[in-house]
């Protein structure tokens, strides 16, 4: 995957954590419940998550692949 900012080849890896992660339009106050047009990336509040991601350490950008998620 090419970095959309600098065009260099990005490094493949994962975004990992142990609570929900979502791409949202605006900050959610209490529960991370995606609204219209928003995408829940992982819904495993009691375990860890692992989402395929590419990183450009030059631009400090991360691209996620949410294929396979219900979102
Ligand atoms: Zn870049």
């Amino acid at each position: 995957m090419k970095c959309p900012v600098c065009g260099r080849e990005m490094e493949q890896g994962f975004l990992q954590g142990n609570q929900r992660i979502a791409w949202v339009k605006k900050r959610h106050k209490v529960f991370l419940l995606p609204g219209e047009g928003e995408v829940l990336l992982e819904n495993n509040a009691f375990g860890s998550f692992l989402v395929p991601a590419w990183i450009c350490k030059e631009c400090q950008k991360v691209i996620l692949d949410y294929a396979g998620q219900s979102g």
Side-chain angles (χ1 to χ4, degrees), residues 20-37:
R20 283 179 169 187
I21 181 170
W23 181 89
V24 296
K25 291 179 180 176
K26 57 180 167 59
R27 190 165 171 269
H28 292 239
K29 282 182 183 171
V30 186
F31 293 109
L32 190 49
L33 294 174
E36 180 73 32

Side-chain angles (χ1 to χ4, degrees), residues 3-8 10 56-61:
C3 173
V5 180
C6 70
R8 288 185 174 88
M10 300 183 85
C56 179
K57 292 171 181 172
E58 200 69 34
C59 305
Q60 301 183 316
K61 304 295 182 203

Side-chain angles (χ1 to χ4, degrees), residues 39-40 66 68-71:
V39 179
L40 181 65
Y66 69 88
Q69 306 295 329
S70 59

